[in-house]
Amino acid sequence: MKIRTRYAPSPTGKMHVGNLRSALYEFLIAKHEGGDFMLRIEDTDQERFMEGATELIYRTLEKTGITHDEGPDKDGGYGPYVQSERMKTGIYMKYARELIEKGEAYYCFCDKERLASLKTEVVEGKEISIYDKHCLHLSKEEVEANLAAGKPFVIRQNNPTEGSTTFHDELYGDITVENSELDDMILIKSDGYPTYNFANVVDDHTMNITHVVRGNEYLSSSPKYQRLYDAFGWESPVYVHLPLITDENHKKLAKRSGHASFEDLLEQGFLSEAVVNYIALLGWSPESNAEEKQSREIFSLEELIQEFDYHRISKSPAVFDMVKLRWMNGEYIKAMDFDRFYEMAEPYLKQVLTKDFDLKKIANMVKTRIEVFPDIGEHVDFFETLPEYDVEMYTHKKMKTDQASSLQVLRDVLPLLEIQEDFSNDGLYQMLLKYVEEKGVKNGYVMWPIRTAVSGKQMTPAGATEIMEVLGKEESLQRIRKGIDKLTNA
């Protein structure tokens, strides 16, 4: 049997990393087995529908490389692929009425006032009202009269109050729930739209979906889904419920955290391929190789497809660690082709550098030193303006420098630099190397004070001569003279 998976998002805003992980795992399960991955838009919740959100879904899948084989834009013979369009075909009402005929569902005509008077229970921190099956006991004549009168209704699932229901999850095994705990959930709402719970069962069956991946917050609803499959006499798909993604404080990763959505992460300078790689490892680990001293962490999408085995997904909550994601992003930046790196880095360079610098040379300096693109500014801002700095910076134990030795070095090299015609990195380095040899000292003894004077920073993305090449002769000399003044007056 061909593996068929689906990603079925609701167009309600930016894509949360938890939803992106579900999409990625569905894609990897299908592609690992040579199956099909489908995109289905679940827009039945019209109140939460957000303009432009569907386009955002397409854009996210395109940027991440999670390519669907079927969807609203690629008909594979199972369309329509948008629930509101599917609703117009009458498919949901057809199957809901089939359940009514079987006694597995019923019309409910209760108004808001009556529903408000029902007793409530707290389930998973939320207060919900428990329906008392009042309308189940209406006679056929009463139901027909209400329908003929145009009385508003919903269609509810008729769950038994005795016995138990068992469903199977690939990670959690068999889960059994007492039927007395199952509410008669609404299948068709009063506006005629199906609920998410009903529509996804009907759609998954009619679209031949074999594997369903979703967050484990749906575990509590799954017995109700199982009862629907059983009521229809359908075989349920393979269920894989994913662990929760938490923040560093082990709290649920909230949308307001600032990095909970794919779009947020792109805006913060992360690469889409690094995000995909990182999200793949949030709850899944590859089979470890005995020869590898530490488990492998960098995977291309093609390598993930090859390696992915959903049986290796963990049940434990996955911690979204920004430090780890930044590190991984930095590894991707280091491995990037320079032209692509420069194209992405240029806007960040131009934010802080307005003078006529060789931006490609500066970009090359920072490529291996940043983790995300916005880091660029703090690494290169000294080119634009020499920052105010403390003369204590000239003292460096390892380089064996202090303020007096630094002052001597700067006074010695200033006239050499003034007559130096070749102000390239190589030309400057060769000239300074001669001075180092004549003085009989180590390179750092000379380069540290020069680098301090021309950058005003302890950490720079390049050495003294590389910095001077970019600054040019006039600016470099001006900064060294300022260094001499600071040290003289210290």
Side-chain angles (χ1 to χ4, degrees):
M1 182 176 65
K2 191 173 194 180
I3 299 290
R4 285 177 58 79
T5 64
R6 51 66 166 175
Y7 176 50
S10 299
T12 55
K14 293 178 180 178
M15 194 185 292
H16 188 277
V17 294
N19 292 339
L20 181 57
R21 181 182 62 171
S22 297
L24 177 61
Y25 284 7
E26 293 265 18
F27 172 78
L28 295 175
I29 287 171
K31 295 300 145 190
H32 182 72
E33 299 288 346
D36 290 334
F37 170 66
M38 174 204 296
L39 172 64
R40 188 174 74 220
I41 304 296
E42 302 204 336
D43 61 346
T44 56
D45 191 345
Q46 293 291 292
E47 286 178 13
R48 293 177 63 227
F49 177 81
M50 190 177 287
E51 202 64 49
T54 304
E55 291 70 26
L56 197 57
I57 292 164
Y58 281 112
R59 200 158 66 240
T60 301
L61 294 180
E62 185 184 351
K63 284 178 181 173
T64 54
I66 302 173
T67 311
H68 52 284
D69 302 291
E70 297 174 30
D73 56 337
K74 293 179 188 176
D75 190 6
Y78 290 90
Y81 294 87
V82 178
Q83 279 186 342
S84 57
E85 293 173 20
R86 291 175 71 74
M87 191 196 91
K88 289 170 188 168
T89 69
I91 186 171
Y92 305 117
M93 191 59 85
K94 168 183 172 280
Y95 281 110
R97 287 190 174 126
E98 189 178 312
L99 288 177
I100 290 172
E101 285 166 23
K102 290 182 171 187
E104 296 285 352
Y106 57 94
Y107 290 102
C108 173
F109 300 96
C110 292
D111 56 24
K112 285 180 183 175
E113 287 72 31
R114 183 172 191 285
L115 293 172
S117 70
L118 296 172
K119 67 174 184 175
T120 59
E121 283 184 18
V122 176
V123 178
E124 295 173 2
K126 290 182 183 174
E127 194 175 272
I128 58 166
S129 60
I130 305 301
Y131 188 65
D132 58 1
K133 289 184 180 284
H134 172 76
C135 288
L136 175 63
H137 309 296
L138 295 175
S139 67
K140 194 177 178 184
E141 291 73 27
E142 285 175 299
V143 170
E144 285 174 359
N146 285 339
L147 291 174
K151 198 169 181 183
F153 68 85
V154 298
I155 296 178
R156 289 183 182 273
Q157 184 178 13
N158 181 19
N159 284 317
T161 53
E162 294 176 355
S164 61
T165 297
T166 300
F167 84 100
H168 181 78
D169 177 83
E170 289 296 291
L171 304 183
Y172 294 86
D174 284 345
I175 295 178
T176 301
V177 177
E178 294 301 313
N179 289 336
S180 57
E181 295 176 19
L182 302 180
D183 185 33
D184 284 0
M185 68 175 178
I186 293 171
L187 307 180
I188 302 288
K189 296 180 284 189
S190 57
D191 60 5
Y193 275 85
T195 57
Y196 164 83
N197 294 318
F198 184 52
N200 83 76
V201 167
V202 170
D203 290 343
D204 286 345
H205 173 74
T206 55
M207 292 174 154
N208 283 346
I209 298 302
T210 61
H211 291 65
V212 170
V213 177
R214 58 185 173 219
N216 66 9
E217 66 269 24
Y218 289 102
L219 274 172
S220 58
S221 304
S222 294
K224 298 176 193 175
Y225 303 152
Q226 189 61 52
R227 292 212 61 82
L228 289 172
Y229 279 103
D230 292 345
F232 283 119
W234 297 339
E235 186 181 343
S236 55
V238 173
Y239 282 116
V240 182
H241 285 87
L242 303 178
L244 187 70
I245 298 176
T246 72
D247 59 20
E248 289 91 337
N249 301 315
H250 303 286
K251 298 279 194 298
K252 186 177 178 180
L253 189 65
K255 287 183 179 178
R256 63 181 176 276
S257 72
H259 53 257
S261 85
F262 177 70
E263 293 283 318
D264 290 338
L265 294 171
L266 290 192
E267 284 166 17
Q268 288 165 36
F270 288 94
L271 294 165
S272 59
E273 54 266 50
V275 174
V276 168
N277 187 160
Y278 181 70
I279 285 175
L281 299 173
L282 282 179
W284 171 80
S285 58
E287 200 160 1
S288 56
N289 185 332
E291 293 171 20
E292 292 174 10
K293 288 181 181 169
Q294 61 182 54
S295 60
R296 187 177 162 201
E297 294 183 302
I298 305 294
F299 291 89
S300 67
L301 193 57
E302 291 71 27
E303 288 166 335
L304 284 170
I305 288 169
Q306 198 176 335
E307 295 281 338
F308 196 79
D309 175 359
Y310 66 80
H311 297 99
R312 295 190 60 79
I313 296 171
S314 167
K315 287 187 284 189
S316 305
V319 178
F320 193 97
D321 182 350
M322 278 299 280
V323 173
K324 182 74 173 285
L325 175 57
R326 283 179 64 93
W327 166 81
M328 187 173 280
N329 201 68
E331 293 300 301
Y332 272 85
I333 287 175
K334 282 176 196 167
M336 272 176 103
D337 165 77
F338 180 76
D339 288 342
R340 184 182 170 222
F341 170 76
Y342 181 70
E343 190 184 328
M344 295 183 77
E346 189 180 22
Y348 294 95
L349 290 165
K350 286 183 171 175
Q351 274 177 15
V352 290
L353 303 176
T354 60
K355 294 175 184 172
D356 188 21
F357 293 119
D358 186 333
L359 294 184
K360 286 198 171 178
K361 274 185 183 158
I362 297 175
N364 207 33
M365 291 175 183
V366 296
K367 187 171 183 286
T368 59
R369 295 171 180 269
I370 62 167
E371 292 183 322
V372 290
F373 285 95
D375 289 351
I376 288 173
E378 66 195 48
H379 282 278
V380 305
D381 53 2
F382 71 90
F383 282 108
E384 183 79 2
T385 310
L386 180 71
E388 283 302 320
Y389 63 93
D390 196 315
V391 288
E392 288 294 327
M393 275 171 54
Y394 284 101
T395 302
H396 195 300
K397 269 189 184 176
K398 195 178 172 187
M399 306 297 180
K400 296 189 167 56
T401 66
D402 57 27
Q403 290 179 38
S405 70
S406 296
L407 179 57
Q408 188 60 52
V409 166
L410 294 182
R411 280 177 171 162
D412 286 350
V413 300
L414 180 61
L416 300 175
L417 289 167
E418 284 172 338
I419 60 168
Q420 176 73 11
E421 289 185 10
D422 181 0
F423 229 75
S424 68
N425 176 39
D426 289 343
L428 289 164
Y429 191 76
Q430 290 308 316
M431 182 272 282
L432 289 171
L433 211 55
K434 266 190 203 171
Y435 172 75
V436 165
E437 285 164 5
E438 285 167 15
K439 293 284 284 186
V441 293
K442 292 197 171 172
N443 285 11
Y445 185 86
V446 173
M447 298 301 186
W448 180 259
I450 296 174
R451 185 161 73 87
T452 301
V454 295
S455 71
K457 285 197 166 189
Q458 281 188 312
M459 302 286 288
T460 59
T465 55
E466 292 170 283
I467 291 169
M468 286 195 288
E469 179 185 49
V470 169
L471 286 172
K473 187 170 182 175
E474 189 183 327
E475 180 67 20
S476 297
L477 292 175
Q478 195 176 319
R479 291 185 180 198
I480 286 172
R481 289 185 190 113
K482 186 170 183 179
I484 292 169
D485 286 348
K486 281 176 88 81
L487 286 163
T488 305
N489 297 316

